[in-house]
Amino acid sequence: MTPSRAELLLVAELAAEAERYDDVISQIKAIADQYDGRLFNDERNLLSIAYKNKTNTLRNSWRVVDTLEKMQASRASAGITTRQLLLIRQQRKKIERELANVCKDIVKLLEKQLLPNANQGEERVFYSKMKGDYYRYLAEFAHEIEREWYAEESLSAYKFAYRHAMSTLESVHPTRLGLALNFAVFYHDVRRSPDRACHLAKNAFDDAVKSFDSDFSDHNMSQTIRDSLQILQLLKDDLVLWSKEIQ
C-alpha cells in the first residue's frame, strides 16, 4: 500500500530525530515525486536540514584532510617520505567524490522538480538560494575550469534569488537576510573579494535595521523576528572580520 503524505512526513521526522539523513531525503523525495515537486514548509525544511548536515560533515572532513595534506606536502618537499602524502591525497579525493555526489543530488532535485514548481516569493527565493549554496560548495574544492563553472552557476543562482527577494520579500525577512549572508560569503570565499562581500552584507544589514520597529521586547518577539536578529548578528560579525581584511 502506498504510504500517505502524512506517513511519509512522519517517517522523515523520525529519521531526522535519529540523525538518519539519508532516510529523511528519501522520504521527502517520495513526497516530491507524488505531489509534483510541491513541498510544504515543514517538508522543505526537513530536506534542507538533511542535506545541510550531510554536506557540513563532509566539508569539515575535507578541510581537515586538505590541511593535513598541505602540511605533509611541505615536509615531503624537504625530503621526507611521500607515502603518507599519497594516502592522505587519496582520502581527500574520496571525500571530494562523496561531497560532489551529495551536492549534485540536491541541485538536480532543485532544478528538475522544486524550482519549476515553486511559488513566486519566499519559496522561489529559498530554493534559488539553496541552488547557489550547493554550487558554491562544489566550487570550494573543485579545480581550474570546473571550479569556475560551478562558481558561475552559483553566482547566477544567487543573483536570481536576490533580485526576486528584493522585489517580493521585506528587508527583515529571514530568508532574504539568509540569502544576503550566503551571497556575501560567496563573494568572500569563492570570488576572493572582501570588498564586494562587505558591500552586499552592509546594504542588507542597514536595510533591515531601518525597517525594524525598535519598540519591541523579548516577550512579544515572534520566532521570525528572532531568526532575523540571529542572521543580522552573523552579518555584523562577518562585516567586522572582512573590514579588517580590507584594512
Side-chain angles (χ1 to χ4, degrees), residues 12-24 50 53-54 57:
E13 290 171 337
L14 289 171
E17 287 292 327
E19 298 183 0
R20 292 179 57 85
Y21 298 114
D22 286 331
D23 292 342
V24 175
N53 275 281
K54 286 195 70 174
T57 298

Side-chain angles (χ1 to χ4, degrees), residues 18 29 34 83 96 99 157 166-167 192 197 220 230 247:
K29 279 184 175 181
Q34 290 184 29
R83 175 63 179 171
E96 287 178 357
L99 180 53
M166 294 282 281
S167 62
R192 301 289 189 264
N220 61 19
Q230 288 178 352
Q247 293 170 1

Side-chain angles (χ1 to χ4, degrees), residues 15-191:
E17 287 292 327
E19 298 183 0
R20 292 179 57 85
Y21 298 114
D22 286 331
D23 292 342
V24 175
I25 291 167
S26 66
Q27 296 300 304
I28 303 301
K29 279 184 175 181
I31 294 174
D33 287 339
Q34 290 184 29
Y35 297 94
D36 299 322
R38 300 301 304 275
L39 299 180
F40 295 142
N41 281 356
D42 48 357
E43 298 161 351
R44 184 190 74 181
N45 291 336
L46 278 172
L47 184 74
S48 176
I49 289 167
Y51 276 106
K52 186 174 182 179
N53 275 281
K54 286 195 70 174
T55 52
N56 278 354
T57 298
L58 289 166
R59 290 170 74 211
N60 289 336
S61 298
W62 183 86
R63 291 188 188 104
V64 170
V65 175
D66 184 61
T67 299
L68 290 171
E69 182 183 351
K70 289 172 181 174
M71 291 172 57
Q72 193 67 29
S74 65
R75 294 172 183 171
S77 65
I80 299 175
T81 178
T82 59
R83 175 63 179 171
Q84 285 183 319
L85 178 60
L86 177 62
L87 294 172
I88 294 170
R89 186 166 294 156
Q90 289 174 344
Q91 185 65 22
R92 190 251 303 159
K93 290 181 178 179
K94 179 182 178 183
I95 295 169
E96 287 178 357
R97 287 192 296 271
E98 292 179 21
L99 180 53
N101 287 338
V102 175
C103 291
K104 290 175 182 178
D105 186 54
I106 179 58
V107 166
K108 180 181 178 182
L109 182 64
L110 289 163
E111 292 179 338
K112 299 293 185 183
Q113 288 183 280
L114 302 183
L115 271 168
N117 296 292
N119 291 323
Q120 295 286 329
E122 194 272 343
E123 187 176 16
R124 182 155 294 180
V125 173
F126 185 94
Y127 287 142
S128 298
K129 170 188 167 293
M130 279 186 75
K131 182 178 173 181
D133 289 342
Y134 286 95
Y135 271 123
R136 170 164 61 89
Y137 300 159
L138 286 164
E140 285 177 346
F141 63 85
H143 303 283
E144 298 174 358
I145 296 174
E146 221 179 22
R147 183 180 192 277
E148 184 57 31
W149 188 84
Y150 289 139
E152 284 298 317
E153 290 295 312
S154 178
L155 179 61
S156 177
Y158 279 138
K159 281 184 174 179
F160 176 85
Y162 205 67
R163 284 194 299 267
H164 200 60
M166 294 282 281
S167 62
T168 61
L169 301 180
E170 294 181 355
S171 59
V172 295
H173 197 291
T175 300
R176 176 169 163 174
L177 287 172
L179 167 63
L181 175 64
N182 288 15
F183 197 1
V185 170
F186 166 85
Y187 277 124
H188 180 269
D189 291 358
V190 177
R191 289 301 192 206

